Amino acid sequence: MKYHINKGVGRTVEFKGLKAQYLFIFAGGLLGTLIFVMILYMAGVNSYICLLLGAGGASLIIWQTFSLNRKYGEYGLMKVSARKKHPRYIICRKPIYRYLKFTPKSKAV
């Protein structure tokens, strides 16, 4: 018997050059655009306007997702968001004697 070895173990998912979290941004953006166009259509907006907004929104999502993928790479977007959450410097407003406070040990029985 011949067994096929899965050589993709441990690798990230890739589709048409999009890797990792960009796939979720891509799919979520297109799904959001589709739902937006459907709501506009059900609200009675002209179908040509809905078509124009849908095509424009989808092309914008595709363009932005691929440009983010090209600019930041596989893990770069996560690094940028982590850098924004990290403080630039630590502010210490307590007086020094609060850090040097001596607390006696309790006596064991």
Side-chain angles (χ1 to χ4, degrees):
M1 295 184 81
K2 186 176 180 182
Y3 294 101
H4 297 286
I5 298 172
N6 186 2
K7 296 187 179 183
V9 175
R11 293 176 57 198
T12 59
V13 180
E14 182 178 350
F15 176 73
K16 303 277 185 182
L18 291 177
K19 293 183 179 182
Q21 72 271 16
Y22 301 108
L23 282 172
F24 297 113
I25 294 171
F26 182 72
L30 289 180
L31 184 65
T33 304
L34 176 68
I35 291 171
F36 177 68
V37 169
M38 287 171 40
I39 290 171
L40 286 177
Y41 185 74
M42 289 190 305
V45 178
N46 190 356
S47 61
Y48 290 116
I49 294 174
C50 291
L51 186 63
L52 184 67
L53 286 174
S59 62
L60 182 69
I61 293 289
I62 292 168
W63 173 64
Q64 278 295 97
T65 308
F66 276 96
S67 69
L68 283 173
N69 187 33
R70 192 176 333 104
K71 182 177 181 181
Y72 293 114
E74 187 173 350
Y75 301 110
L77 196 59
M78 289 185 283
K79 290 179 184 179
V80 169
S81 65
R83 189 176 299 134
K84 286 181 181 178
K85 292 179 184 178
H86 190 74
R88 291 186 181 166
Y89 50 89
I90 298 173
I91 299 173
C92 177
R93 292 195 170 108
K94 285 185 181 180
I96 294 175
Y97 70 87
R98 295 280 307 263
Y99 294 109
L100 302 175
K101 187 176 174 183
F102 177 70
T103 55
K105 293 182 181 178
S106 62
K107 295 184 180 183
V109 177

